[in-house]
Structure formats: structure tokens, C-alpha cells
Amino acid sequence: MDLLSQVTAAMRSGRPRWVRIEARGAWGQRFQSVPGAAFHLVLQGSAVLMPNADDKIPLGAGCIALLPGGVEHGVADGPDVPAAERSAGTRQEFSAEPRTLVLGESADAGQTASTVVLSGMFPFDRSLCHPLLNDLPEAIYLPARLQQEPSLRAVLDSLCHELEHPDMGSDLAIGTLLDTLLVYVLRWWYREHGAGTGWGPALNDRAISRVLCSMHNYPGEPWTVERLGAVADLSRSAFARRFTDLVGRPPLGHLTWVRMNTAAERLRKTEEPLSSVAQQVGYTSEFAFSSAFRREFGIAPSAYRRQEATAGPRRPRARPGTSPRPGG
């Protein structure tokens, strides 16, 4: 399983939720923060995305915007129509049931909508958030010209058809198409940002991407730099240099981070004994595992499990200096 698929699937906590916005005249909508990634797809007309108080991103028909952090934001018919004012008292929270939201000064006049936007969210478990997604910008914008790519065009055409002509199984079909759209958006972003240091160039490098997949899929394997170099089909020294240059930390340093975060997930989700968790992430000694876990999270595994059980899901915080960000 490739790394992007694995990470996205592991973080998902439910199916996409969406609302179809039909807007007329002057309109605006404020969206509160959501536990996942928010998105907007302009099906007709135009809109302006306001991810924060300062930025205003114009969106034309066919444009796609993704807000990976699910931050509070606004969408309106223009930069001079503050979404917060236009939506006073009508903050839209995405529900599990798809529906249509009619907005605008002429909403009750029976006029045809001048703008149609499909807005929604992809639910994520933030306690499982991977730096691959954490390092994304506040807002990702895909221009309409990308619709000319056959694969993306096919998804958008199918999505529009299901929305305009609902039939048996349409809700499931729309959710599946939205899942595919998310992958295409992330794939495009990392391909466009494939230079320098970070997850973009690491994912675009086939040799290093294979190694990252192996680490994340099999964290309990007795990996060495030599074995990882063999996966990359590179010599030990060439692999170590290339991995460090792209990912921003040495191979075994990243492997330790993968193992500790995998262990944290097992501690949160299961009641397995510490010895079993330790073996799953490559430690034959429970003592060695506990020491490594404490270095990464600043707390013993048993105490971490108790803490998470009482505090509820949240993203674990590594100790200062152990940031898993490439180049960090």
C-alpha cells in the first residue's frame, strides 16, 4: 500500500459529509471549524474563499479548494460581502445527511441559482494525523484548467451526474467519488511541490517512497540502514544521504518516530499488553520500548494509555526537538 493511501485511510474516521449550496444575489456563509479537512467545489458561477481574515481566493466554475486543517472560514459571492455578517446566526455545520442550503437576498424569489457550490468535509481522527497532511498549507487551490486531465474530468462528470440525477445508491456513489477527489487533490499538490526537502520530494522519489512505505507498513521488521538501502536499490551510504536530504532526518531516526507513533495508536485503540505492543513495533525488550517511548513523548507507555483513556482522542505531542516534519 503506497504511503499516501495508507496515511489517508488510517486517518479517516468516517465517510465524507457534504451540503449543496444554491446561491442567488449577494450571499455569504461562515463555516465553523470541523474535525477533518473541509472542501469546496464550485459547480456553477463563482465564489470567493476566505480561509482567514486576510486572504481572499477567487474560485471559478470547476475550481476546487481544500482546507486540510478544517479551520473556520468563509465563502461568499465576492470579497466585499463578509461571510461572517451574511451568515449571522446560521453557521453551517455539516451533517451526516446530505442536503441543499439556499442562500442569498433572492433565496425566496424562486430565481435560478447563479452559483452552486458543493461544500463538505472529510472526517479525520486528529490523534492519528501524520506530518504528510499536517505540513500542508491552510488552503489548497486547484484551478479549473486541471479539469482537462481525463481522470479528474471523469470523476467530476460522474459527481455532477449523481448530484443532478440522484438514483439508487447515489449517496454512496457521491461519497466514493469525493474520496477519489481528495486523493487527486493531494496527489496534485505533492507533484507540484516535489522540489527541495519535505514530503513532496520524498513521495516523488520512487526509491525513497518505497522505503517509507516499507517502514510504515512493517514497523516491526528488524530494519537496518543496509536493509532499507536494499529496498531502495541503493548502496548504504548513497541511500542514507538521499533519505536524509529528502526527508530531513536519518533513516533510523524516522523509523523510530514511525514505530513510536504506531505504538501510540495501539495504546489508544487496544488493550493489548505492553509486551505485545513492543513486539509489534520491533522491540524484543519491554524496557527498551518504554525507554524509547518516553524519549519520544515524554511519558511512559502505561501512563500515556491511562491519560488518553481519560482525556479522549487528541494528537500526541512529541517532546521538543523530536518533530517528525521533514527538514524539521
Side-chain angles (χ1 to χ4, degrees):
M1 193 174 189
D2 70 271
L3 188 58
L4 181 59
S5 297
Q6 183 197 45
V7 169
T8 305
M11 287 178 52
R12 296 295 298 276
S13 60
R15 293 185 58 76
R17 300 180 179 184
W18 53 271
V19 61
R20 177 188 172 102
I21 297 177
E22 296 183 357
R24 305 162 176 83
W27 62 276
Q29 180 68 30
R30 195 76 192 168
F31 292 88
Q32 64 183 21
S33 60
V34 294
F39 70 87
H40 300 282
L41 167 60
V42 180
L43 302 174
Q44 176 183 318
S46 62
V48 175
L49 171 69
M50 291 165 276
N52 52 56
D54 300 320
D55 294 335
K56 295 176 175 30
I57 304 173
L59 304 175
C63 292
I64 305 167
L66 178 73
L67 294 91
V71 297
E72 182 175 341
H73 62 283
V75 180
D77 71 308
D80 298 326
V81 182
E85 295 179 12
R86 288 289 176 181
S87 61
T90 60
R91 282 181 152 193
Q92 173 64 32
E93 183 173 9
F94 302 116
S95 65
E97 295 297 327
R99 63 192 183 94
T100 297
L101 178 67
V102 179
L103 299 175
E105 296 175 345
S106 304
D108 299 324
Q111 298 179 5
T112 302
S114 58
T115 299
V116 179
V117 182
L118 185 67
S119 300
M121 65 169 288
F122 299 99
F124 286 157
D125 182 348
R126 288 293 172 188
S127 67
L128 304 179
C129 237
H130 187 278
L132 186 149
L133 296 184
N134 286 342
D135 287 350
L136 293 171
E138 186 176 52
I140 295 176
Y141 161 74
L142 267 71
R145 61 177 173 78
L146 293 178
Q147 288 190 34
Q148 302 308 314
E149 294 189 7
S151 56
L152 180 57
R153 180 71 263 163
V155 171
L156 293 175
D157 285 345
S158 297
L159 185 58
C160 289
H161 177 80
E162 292 295 337
L163 289 167
E164 295 172 4
H165 307 284
D167 202 341
M168 293 183 294
S170 283
D171 287 348
L172 178 61
I174 291 171
T176 301
L177 290 166
L178 288 173
D179 282 336
T180 305
L181 192 63
L182 171 64
V183 171
Y184 282 1
V185 170
L186 295 176
R187 179 189 293 173
W188 173 82
W189 172 262
Y190 280 113
R191 281 179 176 170
E192 289 293 305
H193 297 77
T197 299
W199 289 98
L203 291 177
N204 279 289
D205 186 293
R206 291 188 177 183
I208 301 305
S209 181
R210 284 199 305 272
V211 171
L212 288 169
C213 287
S214 297
M215 284 185 179
H216 285 257
N217 285 323
Y218 309 105
E221 285 290 306
W223 295 115
T224 62
V225 176
E226 289 83 358
R227 283 195 64 193
L228 292 170
V231 172
D233 197 23
L234 295 168
S235 69
R236 181 185 185 281
S237 57
F239 161 70
R241 284 195 304 271
R242 191 152 152 187
F243 188 98
T244 304
D245 288 345
L246 289 175
V247 178
R249 58 165 50 191
L252 297 186
H254 181 74
L255 175 63
T256 298
W257 179 83
V258 170
R259 285 174 166 173
M260 292 303 100
N261 278 269
T262 301
E265 179 183 356
R266 302 305 299 169
L267 292 170
R268 289 193 302 271
K269 288 187 169 183
T270 75
E271 295 299 325
E272 296 171 346
L274 293 185
S275 58
S276 176
V277 175
Q279 291 178 358
Q280 290 178 47
V281 295
Y283 289 82
T284 56
S285 163
E286 187 177 326
F287 176 78
F289 164 67
S290 296
S291 298
F293 193 92
R294 186 186 292 273
R295 283 195 299 271
E296 186 71 23
F297 293 106
I299 188 173
S302 56
Y304 175 85
R305 172 175 269 167
R306 290 193 299 270
Q307 171 183 286
E308 292 298 308
T310 56
R314 67 172 181 263
R315 183 186 167 199
R317 298 181 65 183
R319 297 178 62 190
T322 60
S323 169
R325 290 186 58 183

